[in-house]
Every structure is written in structure tokens, then in C-alpha cells.
Amino acid sequence: MHEILLDAPLDMHLHLRDGAMLEFVAPLSARDFAGAVIMPNLVPPVDTLERLHRYRAAVATATAGHRFAPYHTLFFRAYNEAELLAARPFIIGVKLYPEGVTTNSAAGVSDIAAAAETFGLLERLGIPLLVHGESHGFVLDREAEFLAVYDWLARSFPHLMIVMEHITTAAAVDLLDRHTNLFATITLHHLIITLDDLAGGLLNPHLFCKPIAKRPADRDALLAAALNGHPKVMFGSDSAPHPRDKKEAAGCAAGVFSAPVAVPLLVDLFAQHNALDRLPAFLSQNAQRIYGIQPPIKQLRIRAESWQVPLQYGEVVPFMAGRTIDWRVVTP
Ligand code: DOR
Ligand code: ZN
């Protein structure tokens, strides 16, 4: 029987929500991953030490019994040095959302240049800046328009570690190689789908997310970077659960729920491209090196065995619902 072993898979961009949704989805990530970067876009956002500690406790409870390290983040605002020093031992970075660009980002930043003082503080304190990089322009151009902001940030704060979250364009992949302090995460769905899968035929709301999936040439550039184990690129699912009635609705919420299928689908994708030897870089080693983290020791055994993705996990429709996947996680 064909099996492969994966050491410490890491999801460097994950939405776990709070309350009942957190309790339901967190174990699905904690089962297949050794750690994950937990995004802070709750309402209200995680932007005080008190909320951070409360959220850390809730995530710890929801993932109890699993070998799983939650790497927490603070929601970006104009923090002072004392606040950042107090939070630093408990966070892996600060997550910046431009105001209003996606789910729960109403408290995001409206004028990025005006936040220079905080960027300088993060740089001096060695705290990474994680960015949802989209402008308020035409939806297909939002990431491309934001690349100038990344360029400005990388040049103005050369010692600030900047992660371009969930990149979706070939131009973003190109930008990575122009600044030593720029890194990126790529989702599973952006390695597979294009705008056609979402809206080219019958509308599929379960593939609607921000940033929106782009052109085949963009998808191919992302895929090439992942399959080559590009040293500045990490896997980040951006798994973002919304209840089915919020997705199959006028005013569909943005987000693809991929957590329970991410590892087997990545194995399948890399196997199809004869690139399984590059998967550990994309799924674990690059992130460990870039962030300087040592996740818990955890080895996943994945077997060449078909299974059908459930149509729903609780109230949430997963990525590839109902489809057959040829690889199955058999441990832990
Ligand atoms: O599609 C998305 N959903 N993109 C994001 O940036 C946020 C996420 C969510 O929290 O639902
Ligand atoms: Zn996200």
C-alpha cells in the first residue's frame, strides 16, 4: 500500500472564528496540522492584550488533546511600544487589513502611509507584519494595485518582515524576488481554481473569496512557485468557514472552507505534478525557517486511498464537497 509521511504540516493563514464555530472547526485543523497562524478578524477584532489572552484560551480549549501550536496574531492598529512589548511573547505577527476589503475588516487601516510609526515600531521590535494586500479598486485589479504598497513598505522598512498573505497573481510572485524582506502565503484553492470555476458557468458561491481567484496564467505562476518549493513561499489555507446560508445567499460571504481537505488535496496536487519531494518545503520547512518557529513534533501518514469529501461539515460546505480525493490522512 502506497503511503507517504509528512512532518509537521503548517497552515500559515487560518480563520478559526470564535464561539461554537471555533469549537467545531478548530479540531479539523488541529487533526491534520502541527500548527497554524490564527487570524484575528473577529468582531470586535483581537487588538488588545486582554482579547488576545481570551482568544488564546478559547483556541487552546478548542484544540485540546491535539499536538497543535496556534500562532496568534494581533489585528493591526496604531499600537504603542508598551502594548507591542507586552504582546510580543504571545504573537507571531500583526495582521493588517485595509479598511473594508474583506470579512470583518471594518476596523482596518484607511491610510497606510499614516501608519508609518507603527510599522517602524514593528520593525524595531522584530514583529512580522502580515498583510491582506488589496486596494479598493476594480476587483480583479485589487492585488496588482496593492503591490506598490508592498514595494513601499519593503523599501521604507528594510528590516521589517512582511508577509504578502494569500497572493493570487503572477505579479505578486515576481515581487517576492525583488525584496529580501518580502514573503508570501498561497492558499490551496488559488493553486487549483481560476475565476472561471467561480463564475464562468453556474455561479459557485463556495469558491467566492477575497482575493478573488484570477486568470489561468496567475494560477499557473502560483502553482509553479509552490511546486518548486520557492523558499519565500509558505502554505496558508485562508480556510474561512461561513454557514451555508451565508454562502448560498444574495450577498454571499467571502471565504473558502478548506481546512479538512487541505493536506490530502495538497498531496494529490503535488503527486500529480511529480513534485512530492517539494511538498515539505511548501507545507512546513519554509515557514519554520522564515518565521524561526519550531512546531511540535508530529508526523502525518497519508495513504493512497480514495474517500469522498462530505457535502457538509456541520453547517459549512467544504472545498471540493462531494468530490473523491485519492489520498487520505490515516494518522494521528
Ligand atoms: O475570503 C476571505 N474570507 N478572505 C479573507 O480575507 C477573510 C476571510 C474570512 O474571514 O471570511
Ligand atoms: Zn484570511
Side-chain angles (χ1 to χ4, degrees), residues 13 15 39 41 95 97 132 166 210 238:
H13 184 133
H15 296 273
M39 291 304 172
N41 60 333
K95 173 75 187 285
Y97 292 88
H132 182 119
H166 44 53
K210 300 289 178 64
D238 202 13

Side-chain angles (χ1 to χ4, degrees), residues 255-288:
V256 174
F257 179 56
S258 59
V261 294
V263 170
L265 279 175
L266 281 169
V267 171
D268 191 52
L269 186 65
F270 277 65
Q272 278 178 36
H273 288 87
N274 271 321
L276 275 177
D277 58 324
R278 250 56 70 69
L279 183 56
F282 181 58
L283 192 51
S284 187
Q285 291 161 1
N286 290 350
Q288 292 188 42

Side-chain angles (χ1 to χ4, degrees), residues 4 13 16 33 55 67 89 117 128 195 218 220 259 274 303:
I4 67 158
H13 184 133
L16 285 180
F33 291 90
Y55 195 40
R67 245 170 215 254
E117 202 177 318
L195 186 55
D218 293 305
D220 294 348
N274 271 321
R303 185 174 295 161

Side-chain angles (χ1 to χ4, degrees), residues 162-180:
I162 302 162
V163 183
M164 305 193 285
E165 295 294 338
H166 44 53
I167 57 170
T168 59
T169 57
V173 177
D174 289 343
L175 187 64
L176 266 180
D177 294 327
R178 271 183 251 142
H179 299 283
T180 52

Side-chain angles (χ1 to χ4, degrees), residues 88-105:
R88 188 169 60 176
F90 308 106
I91 59 171
I92 196 167
V94 170
K95 173 75 187 285
L96 185 153
Y97 292 88
E99 182 184 5
V101 290
T102 189
T103 308
N104 299 345
S105 60

Side-chain angles (χ1 to χ4, degrees), residues 9 27-34 66 259-264 298 300 329 331-332:
L28 298 169
S29 286
R31 184 193 67 189
D32 284 4
F33 291 90
H66 294 273
V261 294
V263 170
K298 178 167 178 172
L300 239 58
V329 178
T331 58

